[in-house]
Amino acid sequence: MSFALNPRSRASLTLAGNEAEPVLQVDGLLIDPQALADYAATQTRFDPAPPGTYPGIRGPAPLDYVEAVARGLDPLVREAFGLGGVQLAHAECNFSLVTLSAEQLAPAQRVPHIDTIYPLQFAFLHYLCPPEHGGTALYRHRATGYEGLTAERLPTYEAIRATEGAGQGYIAGDTPHFEQTAAFDAAYNRLLVYRSRVLHSGRIPADATLSADPRRGRLTANIFLSYRAI
């Protein structure tokens, strides 16, 4: 089974929000994306994510896919994010399926989130589903103006967030506490790359098919790729 990158893929860069955070988009990432989707459907065991984290189920992705993407896109990531004097350090990857209804969400799942404050970790989000499953959006916290969180910003952000509420379901566009700064649609075999410390959330339509079947649901492959200073 081959997970080779497509030499004819198309890359574009968006600078999102007031902080001009780069978001790298690569369309047509793999030569044979169906091979990866088939792997998820036939060879991966999915289990519920820990409560209050990802709103669904996850399962391990093949290591050769992770290796191909991490090393193949390394030059693009370095250019897009202005990385210098760093080396690849660590990568982890899972398939993910959103399965929780709006009524099942914990408060933390109803607002944007970050994955880490570490500045050299990047989220790779590879859509293996069609556009009707929704995409991904980036946000600004209105009270602080923060679009990305750092060690210095985190205490202030958490203190203010403790006084604010959450919505009633999946966040969709602007809310009293968050402003959407950029939105990206899902597309089969499209990859997004953004810093893990940027406030973001999935865009889950109200009529989305929240299926646990990889062939029907909102299947994505999610890589967290970290660099370290040399």
Side-chain angles (χ1 to χ4, degrees), residues 89-118:
H90 177 71
E92 59 182 78
C93 182
N94 287 289
F95 292 116
S96 302
L97 285 159
V98 173
T99 58
L100 296 187
S101 67
E103 295 75 21
Q104 295 175 300
L105 297 178
Q109 295 168 324
R110 301 172 187 165
V111 296
H113 66 280
I114 64 167
D115 305 310
T116 179
I117 59 172
Y118 181 59

Side-chain angles (χ1 to χ4, degrees), residues 21-22 81 83 119-123 193-198 200:
E21 270 292 341
F81 293 90
L83 303 182
L120 291 177
Q121 179 175 300
F122 298 87
V193 183
Y194 49 87
R195 292 187 196 273
S196 290
R197 71 180 185 185
V198 174
H200 62 278

Side-chain angles (χ1 to χ4, degrees), residues 59-223:
L63 293 179
D64 46 351
Y65 161 75
V66 181
E67 179 84 5
V69 173
R71 297 200 179 279
L73 294 187
D74 177 57
L76 276 179
V77 172
R78 289 175 182 272
E79 180 180 2
F81 293 90
L83 303 182
V86 299
Q87 63 185 17
L88 289 169
H90 177 71
E92 59 182 78
C93 182
N94 287 289
F95 292 116
S96 302
L97 285 159
V98 173
T99 58
L100 296 187
S101 67
E103 295 75 21
Q104 295 175 300
L105 297 178
Q109 295 168 324
R110 301 172 187 165
V111 296
H113 66 280
I114 64 167
D115 305 310
T116 179
I117 59 172
Y118 181 59
L120 291 177
Q121 179 175 300
F122 298 87
F124 286 51
L125 176 59
H126 186 192
Y127 295 106
L128 297 168
C129 59
E132 57 263 29
H133 288 281
T136 299
L138 273 55
Y139 288 88
R140 175 186 305 115
H141 182 230
R142 292 184 186 274
T144 61
Y146 296 161
E147 297 170 6
L149 299 183
T150 63
E152 294 74 23
R153 291 179 171 186
L154 188 61
T156 299
Y157 175 79
E158 289 183 333
I160 294 177
R161 277 297 302 144
T163 70
E164 300 175 338
Q168 296 303 306
Y170 288 103
I171 187 169
D174 295 344
T175 74
H177 302 304
F178 293 93
E179 179 182 359
Q180 183 175 286
T181 61
F184 302 88
D185 294 331
Y188 188 68
N189 203 25
R190 169 177 289 171
L191 177 85
L192 300 179
V193 183
Y194 49 87
R195 292 187 196 273
S196 290
R197 71 180 185 185
V198 174
L199 288 163
H200 62 278
S201 181
R203 298 166 60 215
I204 313 300
D207 60 351
T209 301
L210 303 177
S211 174
D213 181 352
R215 299 191 189 280
R216 298 183 59 246
R218 189 182 187 272
L219 179 64
T220 59
N222 305 73
I223 300 174

